[in-house]
Amino acid sequence: AGNWKMNTTVEEGVKLFTEINKHKQNNDALVIIGAPNTHLSSLLKIENRSIKIAAQNCYFENSGAFTGETSPLVLSQMGVEYVIIGHSERREYFNESNDILAKKTDAVLQNNMEVIFCCGEPLEIRKSDGQNAYVGKQLEEGLFHVNANDMSKITIAYEPIWAIGTGETASAAQAQEMHSYIRSLLKNKYGDAIAHQTSILYGGSVKPANAKEIFGKSDVDGGLVGGASLKPDLFCDIIDSF
């Protein structure tokens, strides 16, 4: 999955998406692009689209006096297939709580879209070795109210916030360690089958140079890619490394 964040004009986004889509037709990996809301209508109209489209956020009500928010009902009616919920930037900059994210998760599912649910710990939590409890609480309070049937529509994305733009580096082994822990939580909550079928993406500065090693870990099912998804050569190399 690529997350473009608040980048590209609509024209630039269409060009970028078209280049990635052309390359994707030679690869059977599932590819998702999380584009700005301003771009969604244009991207959904692209012919021969083999890439799924995600909104980067939505509100937890379908309509009402919520100026500036985006309706999950409207996203679904447009043809959007996924919504990213709980990205670290939404949590940090916009103070989205686990309770709010639980409501947003429900709204996405009720509107027949799939959820990419983000979790992850900041540097001070990692340094104090509190990452498991921190991520566990995010999942327990924001996601694990979902019933077993709806878990088939959930993808989890682990973002080691401490390794993004801090100068710290997360190893493939550290990614595997956390992904294994998240899968153990899924197993305890929902059983072996759901734990096995749930995709867990790694969102810690994935690049062509480290993608193959990271994706080679047994509990890493793919990546949530930020900056590299804005450069078609880099993103296509990451797709090919899967």
Side-chain angles (χ1 to χ4, degrees), residues 151-170:
M151 277 304 297
S152 66
K153 302 170 186 174
I154 303 290
T155 297
I156 295 174
Y158 167 61
E159 303 177 278
I161 305 168
W162 55 275
I164 302 173
T166 62
E168 301 284 337
T169 303

Side-chain angles (χ1 to χ4, degrees), residues 95-126:
N95 301 311
E96 293 192 356
S97 66
N98 291 332
D99 179 59
I100 287 174
L101 299 177
K103 292 178 181 178
K104 289 188 174 189
T105 296
D106 289 344
V108 173
L109 294 172
Q110 288 163 7
N111 283 287
N112 300 309
M113 295 178 290
E114 299 194 30
V115 174
I116 300 175
F117 189 91
C118 300
C119 58
E121 78 283 2
L123 184 59
E124 64 271 17
I125 298 297
R126 170 62 66 157

Side-chain angles (χ1 to χ4, degrees), residues 46-182:
I46 292 175
E47 296 182 357
N48 300 316
R49 177 171 61 86
S50 59
I51 295 174
K52 305 290 186 180
I53 293 179
Q56 297 176 8
N57 184 38
C58 72
Y59 198 55
F60 53 77
E61 297 284 358
N62 286 337
S63 63
F66 307 109
T67 300
E69 291 293 341
T70 302
S71 162
L73 173 62
V74 174
L75 290 176
S76 178
Q77 290 178 343
M78 288 173 65
V80 170
E81 294 140 305
Y82 289 80
V83 182
I84 300 171
I85 296 296
H87 190 279
S88 59
E89 292 158 4
R90 297 299 313 176
R91 294 176 184 267
E92 180 181 359
Y93 304 151
F94 302 100
N95 301 311
E96 293 192 356
S97 66
N98 291 332
D99 179 59
I100 287 174
L101 299 177
K103 292 178 181 178
K104 289 188 174 189
T105 296
D106 289 344
V108 173
L109 294 172
Q110 288 163 7
N111 283 287
N112 300 309
M113 295 178 290
E114 299 194 30
V115 174
I116 300 175
F117 189 91
C118 300
C119 58
E121 78 283 2
L123 184 59
E124 64 271 17
I125 298 297
R126 170 62 66 157
K127 284 188 171 180
S128 65
D129 199 31
Q131 63 270 16
N132 285 7
Y134 189 91
V135 170
K137 183 177 181 181
Q138 289 179 324
L139 294 171
E140 186 64 39
E141 295 182 359
L143 181 63
F144 282 178
H145 65 287
V146 169
N147 66 41
N149 288 335
D150 280 341
M151 277 304 297
S152 66
K153 302 170 186 174
I154 303 290
T155 297
I156 295 174
Y158 167 61
E159 303 177 278
I161 305 168
W162 55 275
I164 302 173
T166 62
E168 301 284 337
T169 303
S171 67
Q174 286 172 313
Q176 166 59 23
E177 181 180 44
M178 179 55 79
H179 281 231
S180 176
Y181 173 67
I182 291 171

Side-chain angles (χ1 to χ4, degrees), residues 2-5 33-40 43 53-56 84:
N3 177 18
W4 289 356
K5 307 188 180 184
I33 291 294
N37 287 343
T38 46
H39 296 37
L40 296 176
L43 298 184
I53 293 179
Q56 297 176 8
I84 300 171

